[in-house]
Amino acid sequence: MERGRMSRATGRQSELPMRVQDTNRTSMVYTTPQSKQPSFGKLSIPKPQSVNSERRTSFFGGRTSGASMPRNSIMSGFGGTEKIKDARPLHDKSYVQQCIRQLHEFLTEQGYPGTLAAKTLQSPSTKEFVKMFEFIYRQLDQTFEMPNSKVEEEVPAILKALRYPFVLSKCSMYSVGAPHTWPQALGALMWLIDTVKINWSLSRQELLFSDFGEDCDNIEEGADYNKLFLDYTAETYSKFMQGDDIFHEEDQAFLNKLKKLYNVDEALLMSMEEKHRILSEEVEKLEKESQTDRLMTKRMERVKLQADLKKLQSYLSSLESFQANLENKASELKDELETTGSHLESLKHERDELQHLLANQKFTPADVERINREKRELQQTITSLSKSLEDAEQHKWNEEIALAKVNEKAELKLGEYHKLARKLKLIPQSAENACGQDFEIRPFECGPGSMVQHKTQIQMLLVKRISDVEEENSRLTNMKLSLEESSEQMDSNIMDKSNDLKQIREQIRKLDERLDSEMQELAREEQDWAQEMESVENHRKLLEKKVTYGYEEAVQQLKTAQQQYHLVLQETNEERRTVANNLTSVCDTAANHLSITEKCLEELHSRVQRACSKAVEEDEAAIQKLRETLKTFTLKANTL
């Protein structure tokens, strides 16, 4: 919800007055096909162009390019006579085709009643152009009706009233479809379509002061947002009127206030964007994989359909041959039926003659008995023949049923064989394991004798393939065993190297312990030297005190021992020099010993560190090489 509010804040900024931009960038009015819809959902304010860049005149009127010149009013330039150059590449064929496609899409989406043929939009007549113009303008004013007369004056007047920044002359309306006129007219239509879209977007937006209405409870943004937006608009507009074009500070302050108002968590937004990026990459990867899978599935389906097509073709040929046989049998049965009919007619005629003779002649009882006996014999003959005919037909039907069952079983077996052959990649002839041999059985293309020969040939090929596969399997098994032995050897080598590494680490630990003990011993020695220095310093102070005391005592005895003054003074000075020299030599010796000890320890520490780091690097390199070798053998073993 918060992001939706912020996106609407960004959308509201698009309602500000149109700014004058650089020559290298075109306004949204001038770049109709390339213009993109504003991106909603992100809190972003576009950066204005630099003030020092060269400016071109917008259709709001000219102004000076200097940033220090104040603006009297943004509407002061309306109705100016300055001619604006159209920056759109209307003479570029690709640009014109793009505009035609967008015009076609817009008219189709809005339900244009006229015809939209490609030839019509490539070079329309004046009447068709007026119809398209009237349909688009009705999206702005539903009550608009184009007059029947003076259309060439009405269209430029409407565009001028809509403040179309370029001139569409009245003469161009007489030949709109001409190659030199149609691009300008098409540009006017695209500008009108953009105006319609802007009008739609503005009509769907909420009112600026909707918080003061009766339904203010339904407004999500509220008065706080309106106050912030009005303050931001007033501040930036006042600086805009003074000649400023860049409002980085105001934009940043407005963004900070919006974030504070809607409690925007930037860390959450960053994490959600990162999740969106990761999910997008996964979706793209899955789509690629699914596309690959679908392609393989379609290829398999194509192979299956081709096989089914071959089956259907063979079945169709068998049906055609069966149909030809049935037609032959039908023709034979028809001929037989005709002969039987003619024989029946002759029998009927003979029967009629016999009945006529019977009616006209008088038979004796012997004749009647003979006739009845012949009749019974004939009836018995007819009955036996009918029964034999029924038995023959029943036998024929049973044989046909048995043949159909046998054919069905054979087709099932054949289907299982083909399915197994496709799974083993033996069918079709270009399959991987077919080796150019045709393993497909076609029962309807050959007779019974050739079928047995074909079956024998396929069996021989299959036996050969089975022997080849068994040889390949044995070779791969031997290779796998050798690789397993190599892998075991590598495992043992890795174990040996691991043990060596443990020993080296143990040596490193011992060296570290030795270094710590030496450092502790050095610290103890430093402490002893400090104590010794302190005792020497105390001894020196004591000697100085004693010398001072002796000097004073000598001075006090000076009056009583004038004769021994020079001798005592000489002895005192000699003793002082001796003590000072001793103290100096002791201090120099201690300092030199400390510096030499520190230098030796530092060299020992650096040598130990270099030896440890070199041993660790060599062992790590060897382990990494062994791991890569093991990984390579593992991959080869898995592939096998």
Side-chain angles (χ1 to χ4, degrees), residues 411-572:
E411 289 179 357
L412 290 175
K413 292 291 183 180
L414 188 61
E416 292 176 356
Y417 166 74
H418 286 165
K419 184 177 180 181
L420 182 60
R422 290 191 185 92
K423 187 181 293 184
L424 295 175
K425 297 181 179 179
L426 295 173
I427 295 176
Q429 192 172 356
S430 60
E432 181 179 354
N433 297 329
C435 297
Q437 301 293 334
D438 189 8
F439 289 92
E440 187 174 359
I441 298 176
R442 302 177 181 85
F444 299 106
E445 294 181 0
C446 53
S450 59
M451 182 66 188
V452 174
Q453 184 180 0
H454 188 56
K455 180 180 178 182
T456 306
Q457 184 180 359
I458 291 176
Q459 285 180 353
M460 292 175 64
L461 293 174
L462 288 174
V463 169
K464 184 178 179 182
R465 292 301 300 162
I466 289 170
S467 63
D468 294 339
V469 170
E470 289 178 353
E471 291 177 359
E472 184 69 18
N473 191 12
S474 62
R475 186 181 65 80
L476 292 176
T477 304
N478 296 329
M479 187 182 292
K480 182 180 179 182
L481 292 174
S482 63
L483 289 175
E484 287 178 353
E485 292 177 358
S486 301
S487 177
E488 291 176 357
Q489 184 67 27
M490 291 303 297
D491 292 337
S492 64
N493 293 334
I494 289 171
M495 290 297 295
D496 296 337
K497 292 297 181 181
S498 299
N499 295 329
D500 294 340
L501 181 61
K502 289 180 181 178
Q503 293 177 1
I504 293 171
R505 287 178 178 172
E506 183 66 25
Q507 293 177 3
I508 291 171
R509 185 184 63 78
K510 290 180 180 179
L511 289 173
D512 290 337
E513 291 178 355
R514 183 180 175 184
L515 180 63
D516 293 337
S517 63
E518 290 180 355
M519 291 295 290
Q520 291 176 2
E521 185 178 356
L522 181 62
R524 287 194 298 271
E525 289 179 358
E526 287 179 354
Q527 188 176 2
D528 294 338
W529 282 110
Q531 293 176 0
E532 188 176 354
M533 287 290 293
E534 187 177 359
S535 65
V536 170
E537 185 67 25
N538 292 331
H539 182 63
R540 187 181 65 81
K541 289 180 180 180
L542 181 60
L543 288 176
E544 286 180 355
K545 187 177 180 181
K546 287 181 180 181
V547 168
T548 305
Y549 177 77
Y551 177 76
E552 289 177 356
E553 187 179 0
V555 171
Q556 290 176 1
Q557 294 177 1
L558 180 63
K559 293 178 182 180
T560 59
Q562 286 291 335
Q563 293 85 5
Q564 298 178 1
Y565 171 76
H566 294 288
L567 180 61
V568 172
L569 181 60
Q570 186 177 2
E571 292 176 354
T572 304

Side-chain angles (χ1 to χ4, degrees), residues 93-324:
K93 293 182 179 180
S94 60
Y95 180 86
V96 172
Q97 294 300 322
Q98 187 177 0
C99 292
I100 290 173
R101 285 194 298 270
Q102 292 189 2
L103 176 61
H104 184 273
E105 291 175 0
F106 179 84
L107 295 176
T108 305
E109 290 174 358
Q110 302 305 320
Y112 179 66
T115 57
L116 288 175
K119 185 178 179 181
T120 302
L121 295 179
Q122 293 293 333
S123 178
S125 62
T126 303
K127 185 177 180 181
E128 292 168 346
F129 173 81
V130 170
K131 286 183 179 179
M132 290 187 288
F133 182 88
E134 182 182 5
F135 177 79
I136 297 171
Y137 188 76
R138 279 185 180 177
Q139 308 299 322
L140 296 174
D141 185 8
Q142 297 181 358
T143 61
F144 174 73
E145 292 291 337
M146 181 66 72
N148 296 326
S149 61
K150 295 184 179 180
V151 177
E152 63 277 5
E153 297 178 0
E154 188 69 18
V155 172
I158 293 174
L159 291 174
K160 186 176 181 180
L162 290 174
R163 301 191 183 279
Y164 180 62
F166 312 114
V167 178
L168 188 65
S169 62
K170 183 173 67 174
C171 299
S172 62
M173 296 302 299
Y174 292 104
S175 58
V176 175
H180 64 281
T181 308
W182 171 233
Q184 281 76 17
L186 180 61
L189 290 179
M190 298 310 298
W191 182 88
L192 187 60
I193 289 173
D194 284 342
T195 305
V196 171
K197 292 180 179 179
I198 292 171
N199 184 45
W200 287 348
S201 64
L202 292 177
S203 63
R204 285 194 293 265
Q205 292 180 359
E206 299 172 346
L207 294 176
L208 182 62
F209 299 97
S210 59
D211 297 287
F212 301 100
E214 296 178 357
D215 298 331
C216 61
D217 295 336
N218 297 326
I219 304 302
E220 184 179 349
E221 295 171 349
D224 295 333
Y225 168 79
N226 285 333
K227 184 176 182 302
L228 289 176
F229 183 72
L230 286 175
D231 293 340
Y232 167 78
T233 306
E235 187 176 0
T236 54
Y237 187 73
S238 63
K239 289 193 174 184
F240 174 81
M241 294 302 296
Q242 293 176 5
D244 293 338
D245 280 331
I246 301 176
F247 311 106
H248 293 305
E249 298 179 356
E250 289 77 5
D251 294 343
Q252 189 64 35
F254 181 62
L255 290 175
N256 294 332
K257 290 178 181 179
L258 286 178
K259 292 177 181 178
K260 186 176 180 181
L261 176 63
Y262 295 114
N263 297 322
V264 176
D265 190 358
E266 294 183 354
L268 179 61
L269 290 177
M270 293 294 291
S271 63
M272 294 300 289
E273 289 179 356
E274 184 66 21
K275 289 181 180 179
H276 180 266
R277 184 183 63 79
I278 294 172
L279 292 174
S280 299
E281 292 177 356
E282 292 180 356
V283 167
E284 185 178 359
K285 183 178 179 182
L286 291 174
E287 285 179 353
K288 290 181 179 179
E289 292 177 356
S290 63
Q291 288 177 2
T292 306
D293 295 338
R294 287 200 299 270
L295 182 59
M296 293 300 294
T297 305
K298 295 296 183 184
R299 287 178 178 174
M300 294 299 294
E301 289 180 358
R302 187 185 67 179
V303 172
K304 292 180 180 178
L305 290 175
Q306 288 178 353
D308 294 338
L309 179 61
K310 291 182 179 178
K311 286 183 181 180
L312 289 174
Q313 289 176 353
S314 61
Y315 183 68
L316 181 62
S317 61
S318 64
L319 286 179
E320 289 177 352
S321 61
F322 184 69
Q323 183 181 2

Side-chain angles (χ1 to χ4, degrees), residues 18-150:
M18 186 176 295
R19 304 301 306 275
V20 178
Q21 300 177 351
D22 296 342
T23 31
N24 295 328
R25 298 182 60 190
T26 55
S27 173
M28 186 177 69
V29 180
Y30 304 140
T31 58
T32 302
Q34 289 83 3
S35 62
K36 297 182 179 179
Q37 297 296 332
S39 59
F40 298 100
K42 292 186 179 179
L43 186 61
S44 62
I45 296 178
K47 293 183 179 180
Q49 297 296 318
S50 175
V51 180
N52 297 325
S53 61
E54 183 182 357
R55 303 179 183 277
R56 61 177 173 79
T57 308
S58 70
F59 62 89
F60 287 105
R63 68 173 182 88
T64 58
S65 60
S68 61
M69 295 296 291
R71 299 168 175 82
N72 294 326
S73 174
I74 196 167
M75 305 297 290
S76 61
F78 276 98
T81 59
E82 183 179 0
K83 186 176 180 180
I84 304 172
K85 183 180 179 181
D86 195 347
R88 294 174 295 180
L90 294 176
H91 296 288
D92 188 1
K93 293 182 179 180
S94 60
Y95 180 86
V96 172
Q97 294 300 322
Q98 187 177 0
C99 292
I100 290 173
R101 285 194 298 270
Q102 292 189 2
L103 176 61
H104 184 273
E105 291 175 0
F106 179 84
L107 295 176
T108 305
E109 290 174 358
Q110 302 305 320
Y112 179 66
T115 57
L116 288 175
K119 185 178 179 181
T120 302
L121 295 179
Q122 293 293 333
S123 178
S125 62
T126 303
K127 185 177 180 181
E128 292 168 346
F129 173 81
V130 170
K131 286 183 179 179
M132 290 187 288
F133 182 88
E134 182 182 5
F135 177 79
I136 297 171
Y137 188 76
R138 279 185 180 177
Q139 308 299 322
L140 296 174
D141 185 8
Q142 297 181 358
T143 61
F144 174 73
E145 292 291 337
M146 181 66 72
N148 296 326
S149 61
K150 295 184 179 180

Side-chain angles (χ1 to χ4, degrees), residues 375-389:
K375 181 179 179 181
R376 286 193 299 269
E377 290 177 356
L378 290 173
Q379 286 180 352
Q380 291 177 0
T381 304
I382 291 170
T383 303
S384 62
L385 291 175
S386 299
K387 187 175 181 181
S388 63
L389 180 61

